[in-house]
């Protein structure tokens, strides 16, 4: 089943917001507290909503393929979030749990994690395997 609606937890008040993929570039506000819903917060995407979200943004998309059991993935998570804050308004940062989303892992041929992909208008333009620091993540999304 595919869906173009995301459920996003507000980073400020914790409220769960229903967010249509088509509004991803509009700096959507939290329905409860009114603050920026996506600021500095990578979106967790799935096989079901990935295409709708990636197709709805005009910005480059950085995809972090990860899994909960992967130590280097967990180590890199804070850097990915920090890069997301630095790239607010310039790139969309998303995370895909490779265990729970086998269709996406297969489509992009993910053989090790963490792997970062950059997509421009849905096409892969860069790839980086292994944990990398904030600067490298920002560089991947820039230029
Ligand atoms: Zn809120």
């Amino acid at each position: 089943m595919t869906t173009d609606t995301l459920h996003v937890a507000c980073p400020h008040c914790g409220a769960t917001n229903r967010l249509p993929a088509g509004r991803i570039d509009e700096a959507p506000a939290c329905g409860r507290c009114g603050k920026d819903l996506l600021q500095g917060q990578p979106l967790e995407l799935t096989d079901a909503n990935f295409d709708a979200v990636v197709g709805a943004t005009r910005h480059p998309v950085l995809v972090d393929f990860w899994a909960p059991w992967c130590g280097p993935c967990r180590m890199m998570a804070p850097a990915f979030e920090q890069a997301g804050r630095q790239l607010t308004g310039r790139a969309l940062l998303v995370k895909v749990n490779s265990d729970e989303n086998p269709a996406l892992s297969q489509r992009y041929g993910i053989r090790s994690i963490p792997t970062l992909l950059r997509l421009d208008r849905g096409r892969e333009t860069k790839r980086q395997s292994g944990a990398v620091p904030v600067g490298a993540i920002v560089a991947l999304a820039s230029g």
Side-chain angles (χ1 to χ4, degrees):
M1 196 183 91
T2 62
T3 174
D4 65 355
T5 301
L6 301 166
H7 292 90
V8 181
C10 173
H12 310 286
C13 74
T16 299
N17 284 251
R18 288 170 54 88
L19 178 65
R23 292 187 51 218
I24 218 79
D25 273 359
E26 298 171 18
C30 172
R32 184 198 283 174
C33 71
K35 293 179 182 167
D36 186 347
L37 190 57
L38 300 182
Q39 188 177 32
Q41 178 178 235
L43 284 173
E44 282 279 358
L45 299 185
T46 66
D47 282 346
N49 62 21
F50 184 88
D51 288 331
V53 172
V54 168
T57 181
R58 67 185 189 282
H59 297 299
V61 179
L62 279 193
V63 190
D64 174 18
F65 283 91
W66 73 288
W69 49 261
C70 161
C73 300
R74 291 200 306 274
M75 264 176 43
M76 191 175 73
F80 196 65
E81 290 172 17
Q82 193 178 334
R85 287 191 289 275
Q86 292 185 23
L87 291 163
T88 298
R90 293 194 282 141
L92 182 67
L93 273 66
V94 306
K95 294 171 73 85
V96 171
N97 182 322
S98 61
D99 284 356
E100 295 176 356
N101 301 285
L104 286 169
S105 303
Q106 188 174 9
R107 185 202 297 180
Y108 292 108
I110 303 303
R111 291 183 185 84
S112 66
I113 51 174
T115 288
L116 293 174
L117 296 187
R118 173 174 168 168
L119 306 178
D120 290 275
R121 299 188 183 280
R123 296 180 60 106
E124 179 183 341
T125 53
K126 292 181 186 174
R127 178 178 290 227
Q128 170 75 54
S129 290
V132 291
V134 178
I137 300 170
V138 171
L140 196 62
S142 307

